[in-house]
Amino acid sequence: MQRRLLNQLALFSTGMLLAGLCHAQSNKPISLVVGYSAGGSSDYVARVVGAELSKRLGRAVVVENVAGASGMLAAQKVLNGPADGNLIYMGGTDTVLVPMVNTRVKLDWEKDLAPIGRISTAPLIFAVPASSPYNSLADLVAALRKGGKESFNYATPGIATMQHIYGELINDRAKISMLHIPYRGGAQITTDLVGGQVDSAVLVLSTAMPFLKEGKIKALSVSDGARVAQLPAVKRVGEEEGFTGVSLPIWQGLFLKAGTPAATVAAYEKALHEATAEPEVRKKLADAGFTVAPASGQELHSFVKPQAVLYRDIIKGAKITMD
């Protein structure tokens, strides 16, 4: 009888300890790990969404910037941590793209990560100076096929960026040979495009819009699956001959480490869905050039899967590498 009582007391004490640990864990801030510096577009999205997640999860969600290796240091931080939901990874295009072009990066988005959901997409703009004779992608392709300007080039922020992938997609599908001019970052590109130092450039919408509004550059196509509200007359690439059904947006979403309890993933997915439905969140992201495109974890997986195939095909065809 005495032994039975002692065993019950031991079990009770263990239960109280576990409950205490769970309570402490629930009060611990959640880190939303972003692979880029504070002040950038990814950081902005994370802070807007993170504030709303905090309200719904009842825990502080703190943005942690772990910049470097094209966002891969942030991914590794999450993968090196426990699968308990206390580390959320702000993933996106680079999560899938970078391991394809850099064999030193050991990340398999399907096996290593559990998707919470998609937040947004952002189209890329293929642009030329205002003085350019081309007014559409079809105009440019037709001219280059006829033997137009020799060594027509396009500028991007660097090798293996999504901008580079979009330029090579156009080369591949249109059967042309534009010369890639990689910059170290995007700050100088628009200046050089306006000044005619480069023939064309692939830009994110938020970067391009001020120059488009001022009439300093022209957009020939957008990479998204729908036309951009700010540029309704500009065709999406999927409307062009030879590109039917193609879209290549930059996208952003949230992930947990694979193996995180399903209930935790589901709770975060619900909170993200509610956050992206908030009018104020949608306005803030839209004003920054993002298209709010909420999707569940499963929907995000179904979206990324064919995008990954497209990335790989372009990378293989253009022999793009960071090794």
Side-chain angles (χ1 to χ4, degrees):
M1 181 73 176
Q2 186 175 8
R3 180 177 294 178
R4 182 179 178 185
L5 179 60
L6 288 171
N7 287 340
Q8 288 175 335
L9 286 171
L11 287 171
F12 176 78
S13 298
T14 301
M16 290 296 291
L17 176 61
L18 289 173
L21 287 172
C22 290
H23 179 70
Q25 186 90 322
S26 69
N27 290 331
K28 180 181 178 181
I30 299 167
S31 289
L32 177 48
V33 186
V34 180
Y36 297 92
S37 301
S41 59
S42 295
D43 176 74
Y44 178 79
V45 173
R47 291 180 189 278
V48 170
V49 172
E52 290 297 326
L53 291 178
S54 295
K55 298 175 186 177
R56 286 160 178 77
L57 295 173
R59 294 171 61 187
V61 176
V62 179
V63 174
E64 182 178 355
N65 300 97
V66 183
S70 299
M72 294 301 99
L73 292 185
Q76 286 304 318
K77 178 178 177 65
V78 172
L79 295 184
N80 290 339
D84 60 3
N86 285 313
L87 292 173
I88 301 176
Y89 171 53
M90 177 79 169
T93 311
D94 288 342
T95 306
V96 181
L97 179 60
V98 173
M100 292 182 180
V101 296
N102 188 341
T103 57
R104 291 168 294 182
V105 176
K106 306 302 180 184
L107 171 64
D108 185 323
W109 70 276
E110 284 193 280
K111 293 180 181 178
D112 298 335
L113 298 169
I116 296 171
R118 187 176 62 192
I119 300 170
S120 62
T121 61
L124 295 168
I125 308 297
F126 190 88
V128 294
S131 59
S132 172
Y134 311 117
N135 294 308
S136 69
L137 184 59
D139 287 347
L140 172 62
V141 169
L144 295 184
R145 282 177 177 171
K146 290 178 181 177
K149 181 180 175 182
E150 290 295 321
S151 302
F152 186 91
N153 59 55
Y154 72 96
T156 76
I159 294 171
T161 57
M162 271 299 286
Q163 289 89 330
H164 185 193
I165 298 298
Y166 188 42
E168 291 306 318
L169 168 70
I170 293 172
N171 270 341
D172 177 67
R173 295 298 177 93
K175 307 304 179 189
I176 56 178
S177 299
M178 297 183 297
L179 177 66
H180 179 220
I181 307 294
Y183 280 59
R184 290 189 175 182
Q188 187 63 30
I189 294 177
T190 46
T191 301
D192 287 356
L193 181 63
V194 171
Q197 279 76 40
V198 291
D199 299 319
S200 64
V202 183
L203 309 168
V204 294
L205 176 63
S206 56
T207 300
M209 278 310 300
F211 298 90
L212 291 166
K213 287 179 179 178
E214 293 171 10
K216 293 180 178 179
I217 63 175
K218 294 186 289 188
L220 303 190
S221 76
V222 297
S223 73
D224 215 338
R227 292 199 183 191
V228 175
Q230 299 94 319
L231 303 168
V234 180
K235 287 185 178 181
R236 55 187 176 82
V237 69
E239 295 179 77
E240 300 285 2
E241 182 181 352
F243 294 86
T244 303
V246 173
S247 66
L248 200 72
I250 293 174
W251 57 270
Q252 293 171 310
L254 299 184
F255 297 83
L256 293 165
K257 183 178 179 179
T260 299
T264 301
V265 178
Y268 285 25
E269 183 178 307
K270 180 176 183 292
L272 179 61
H273 176 76
E274 292 174 353
T276 52
E278 281 292 325
E280 186 62 22
V281 170
R282 300 178 78 90
K283 183 180 186 304
K284 285 179 179 178
L285 295 181
D287 288 347
F290 295 94
T291 300
V292 180
S296 67
Q298 183 55 54
E299 288 167 342
L300 174 57
H301 181 275
S302 297
F303 163 77
V304 174
K305 188 86 171 176
Q307 286 284 294
V309 173
L310 184 56
Y311 303 164
R312 191 174 296 281
D313 287 347
I314 296 167
I315 289 165
K316 183 178 179 181
K319 297 181 174 60
I320 300 171
T321 181
M322 292 176 67
D323 287 336

